[in-house]
Amino acid sequence: DDSLRREIRSLKYRAAGGERAEALIEETFALVREASRRRLGMEQFPVQLLGGIGLVRRSIAEMQTGEGKTLVAVAPLALEALYGKGAHL
């Protein structure tokens, strides 16, 4: 958990330094997936990660009931949080 915190601080520093969100997607999503696995016992499937990337790129991601929309939204929310932006889920 300490290593995850260090990585998140590093990402926040890079975001504050002006690095674009697009450049931080992979690392942020990987950290969110690992944190979800460790704390919740759930990890996003590849298709859910792709849905999250679509949301970051301002696309619409349509999913059926039970396909994990909440898990899809967590990683993009974390990425927005690195930049101090608010969001609603």
Side-chain angles (χ1 to χ4, degrees):
D1 289 346
D2 287 336
S3 64
L4 289 177
R5 285 186 194 94
R6 277 192 300 276
E7 290 296 324
I8 290 168
R9 278 193 298 272
S10 171
L11 289 172
K12 282 184 180 180
Y13 179 77
R14 290 168 55 191
E19 194 163 344
R20 295 185 53 204
E22 189 72 26
L24 302 179
I25 287 176
E26 290 178 24
E27 292 171 81
T28 303
F29 278 37
L31 286 171
V32 168
R33 188 175 193 210
E34 181 61 21
S36 296
R37 188 187 64 76
R38 290 182 188 185
R39 302 298 274 172
L40 304 174
M42 303 169 76
E43 68 181 61
Q44 293 88 344
F45 289 103
V47 69
Q48 291 171 315
L49 294 172
L50 288 172
I53 291 169
L55 293 175
V56 168
R57 294 180 177 162
R58 307 293 189 237
S59 297
I60 296 172
E62 182 178 357
M63 300 176 70
Q64 298 298 316
T65 300
E67 288 187 322
K69 290 179 283 295
T70 303
L71 281 177
V72 167
V74 172
L77 287 171
L79 184 61
E80 293 293 316
L82 292 176
Y83 291 89
K85 296 180 181 176
H88 295 279
L89 173 60

